[in-house]
Amino acid sequence: MLSRQTAPSLRKFETPFYFYDINLLRQTLESITSVAKRYGFVIHYAVKANFDPRILSIIREYGLGADCASGNEVRCAIEAGFDPSGIMYAGVGKRDAELRYAIEQGIFAINCESLQEIQVVDSIAGALGKVQDIGLRVNPDIDPKTNKCIDTGQADSKFGISYEELVANLDVIKSLKNVRVAGIHLHIGSQIRELHVFEYLCVKVNSIVEHLGKLGLDFGFVDVGGGLGINYDVPENEPVPNFASVFSIIQSHLKVGGRPVHFEFGRAIVAQCGELITSVLFNKTTASGRRLVIVDASMTELIRPALYGAYHNIENITSTSEERKRYTIVGTACESTDVFDEGVTLPLTQRGDLLTIKSAGAYGMSMASRYNLHDLPSAVYSDEL
Ligand code: LLP
């Protein structure tokens, strides 16, 4: 993570930009791969969290598979060197051209989220003369105890197939000639910090696996998704997420009869290694006395605060003042929700100071937009300073 000592070497880059700590990324990858190996778990990286080519190529070096959410993500993963045989493709809506591309590439599995999707995959695979492995994404109806905007596994969510619908259509699915049910898939949400939620997930998975077995469905892998949360409040306290805890919970509670267990982590792998570096443009005070710091980044570089009310820790890395003040940090976009944080205490913060918005490596750059015709932010890597 960035320290004040590094700040002067950042002055030569035009702000705003993403700074990536490559050592921290490597430490995180070493941790996740070594703990996963202990249990024989298979890890896929959720490309949607960050598809920076340098980041992707480092992740690939550690032997992870990829979890993709679109045809373009599948293409991006393949171009970054991920082996198609380790690529999952999930998503509630997939266009025919995306499915055709994924099937042609021979990816590990397409995780399907509706009966109709399974039938479409069957017909496209048939037309290509192939049999495609699929995962059945089951909606487990679990509250992941996270921000409602990123909760995906409750009964009324748009994601996954309800268990009842799946069972009612099992014979239809089994009769299809060009798809093979290779596994089941569940993903209940993101930024999960209450790890006991993963115990509930295991209980649900165990009963689904047992029940589907009794109904005569023969399948291999069990993919329990991603979702492990990170410490946004004080990132320095937990630069590498606690993979050992979540893996040991899964190991002790999941009873799937020796089937391979897959995970798809995004945030936990890349969030802490990325920071958004921005310069202070102006200071002003509103009529009600709110002290504003206007920075040159905005929701177009990092939309999480504006979209989800998400918190990111912000630090002034260049001010040497002893004086402390409370500020509201706002971006340049023409949107009132474009506020990075309200009431943050910082040393005296003035035009030209550099601020870091921490824990921005996941769902930062990948969700950037060109609203107001802003340029997309560039990337600076710690080993290039
Ligand atoms: N697998 C599936 C099927 C997913 O939908 C997701 C994330 C993941 C894996 C990876 O989840 P993770 O390990 O990163 O929690 N933009 C939001 C997060 C959206 C997550 C979407 N799906 C944010 O900024 O918080």
Side-chain angles (χ1 to χ4, degrees), residues 155-287:
D156 219 20
S157 151
K158 72 173 180 176
F159 298 101
I161 312 177
S162 82
Y163 189 65
E164 293 67 31
E165 192 188 351
L166 180 61
V167 169
N169 290 290
L170 215 49
D171 288 338
V172 179
I173 297 169
K174 283 198 261 178
S175 72
L176 299 172
K177 298 278 173 290
N178 311 301
V179 291
R180 187 181 76 99
V181 178
I184 61 163
H185 173 223
L186 300 94
H187 171 75
I188 54 173
S190 199
Q191 184 51 14
I192 298 169
R193 290 289 280 169
E194 296 189 31
L195 294 188
H196 58 88
V197 165
F198 288 107
E199 288 181 31
Y200 305 152
L201 175 64
C202 291
V203 172
K204 269 283 160 80
V205 174
N206 295 347
S207 86
I208 292 171
V209 167
E210 194 191 332
H211 198 195
L212 287 178
K214 281 190 187 143
L215 294 173
L217 188 72
D218 183 22
F219 61 93
F221 73 84
V222 173
D223 177 351
V224 291
L228 179 63
I230 59 130
N231 188 339
Y232 281 100
D233 296 332
V234 192
E236 295 76 9
N237 285 354
E238 221 180 305
V240 177
N242 196 342
F243 296 112
S245 291
V246 69
F247 287 156
S248 94
I249 289 174
I250 301 283
Q251 175 68 11
S252 44
H253 291 86
L254 201 66
K255 307 282 175 244
V256 294
R259 292 181 167 86
V261 178
H262 293 242
F263 292 81
E264 310 158 343
F265 290 128
R267 186 188 320 265
I269 296 174
V270 291
Q272 296 294 32
C273 76
E275 301 177 47
L276 178 61
I277 311 300
T278 181
S279 302
V280 175
L281 293 175
F282 308 118
N283 294 80
K284 73 176 174 187
T285 305
T286 65

Side-chain angles (χ1 to χ4, degrees), residues 46-338:
V47 171
K48 62 173 84 72
N50 191 320
F51 37 77
D52 176 282
R54 179 94 204 276
I55 303 267
L56 280 183
S57 82
I58 294 171
I59 293 173
R60 186 192 52 81
E61 274 178 41
Y62 288 77
L64 275 67
D67 163 51
C68 299
S70 68
N72 282 348
E73 282 194 4
V74 173
R75 183 175 289 106
C76 174
I78 291 173
E79 282 170 7
F82 285 85
D83 196 307
S85 65
I87 296 181
M88 298 273 194
Y89 175 16
V92 68
K94 305 178 183 81
R95 288 182 287 124
D96 291 12
E98 296 179 292
L99 287 169
R100 198 171 303 115
Y101 172 73
I103 295 167
E104 280 167 354
Q105 300 309 307
I107 66 169
F108 176 74
I110 296 178
N111 287 332
C112 296
E113 307 208 13
S114 63
L115 176 64
Q116 202 170 17
E117 179 187 344
I118 298 169
Q119 291 165 324
V120 170
V121 172
D122 180 70
S123 94
I124 296 176
L128 292 171
K130 295 200 171 207
V131 176
Q132 176 62 48
D133 277 359
I134 60 168
L136 301 174
R137 180 166 178 180
V138 185
N139 180 314
D141 191 17
I142 290 179
D143 179 357
K145 310 253 184 275
T146 184
N147 184 324
K148 289 293 151 225
C149 306
I150 51 176
D151 155 343
T152 53
Q154 298 209 56
D156 219 20
S157 151
K158 72 173 180 176
F159 298 101
I161 312 177
S162 82
Y163 189 65
E164 293 67 31
E165 192 188 351
L166 180 61
V167 169
N169 290 290
L170 215 49
D171 288 338
V172 179
I173 297 169
K174 283 198 261 178
S175 72
L176 299 172
K177 298 278 173 290
N178 311 301
V179 291
R180 187 181 76 99
V181 178
I184 61 163
H185 173 223
L186 300 94
H187 171 75
I188 54 173
S190 199
Q191 184 51 14
I192 298 169
R193 290 289 280 169
E194 296 189 31
L195 294 188
H196 58 88
V197 165
F198 288 107
E199 288 181 31
Y200 305 152
L201 175 64
C202 291
V203 172
K204 269 283 160 80
V205 174
N206 295 347
S207 86
I208 292 171
V209 167
E210 194 191 332
H211 198 195
L212 287 178
K214 281 190 187 143
L215 294 173
L217 188 72
D218 183 22
F219 61 93
F221 73 84
V222 173
D223 177 351
V224 291
L228 179 63
I230 59 130
N231 188 339
Y232 281 100
D233 296 332
V234 192
E236 295 76 9
N237 285 354
E238 221 180 305
V240 177
N242 196 342
F243 296 112
S245 291
V246 69
F247 287 156
S248 94
I249 289 174
I250 301 283
Q251 175 68 11
S252 44
H253 291 86
L254 201 66
K255 307 282 175 244
V256 294
R259 292 181 167 86
V261 178
H262 293 242
F263 292 81
E264 310 158 343
F265 290 128
R267 186 188 320 265
I269 296 174
V270 291
Q272 296 294 32
C273 76
E275 301 177 47
L276 178 61
I277 311 300
T278 181
S279 302
V280 175
L281 293 175
F282 308 118
N283 294 80
K284 73 176 174 187
T285 305
T286 65
S288 68
R290 213 154 54 113
R291 213 177 279 115
L292 303 185
V293 167
I294 301 154
V295 295
D296 65 358
S298 74
M299 62 194 286
T300 62
E301 285 80 28
L302 179 65
I303 201 174
R304 303 192 68 256
L307 190 61
Y308 313 117
Y311 172 77
H312 286 260
N313 190 307
I314 300 178
E315 204 180 314
N316 184 327
I317 50 174
T318 52
S319 171
T320 51
S321 173
E322 296 291 319
E323 200 182 335
R324 294 277 181 283
K325 281 195 156 67
R326 271 169 78 81
Y327 296 105
T328 293
I329 315 291
V330 303
T332 55
C334 298
E335 291 289 332
S336 300
T337 58
D338 183 28

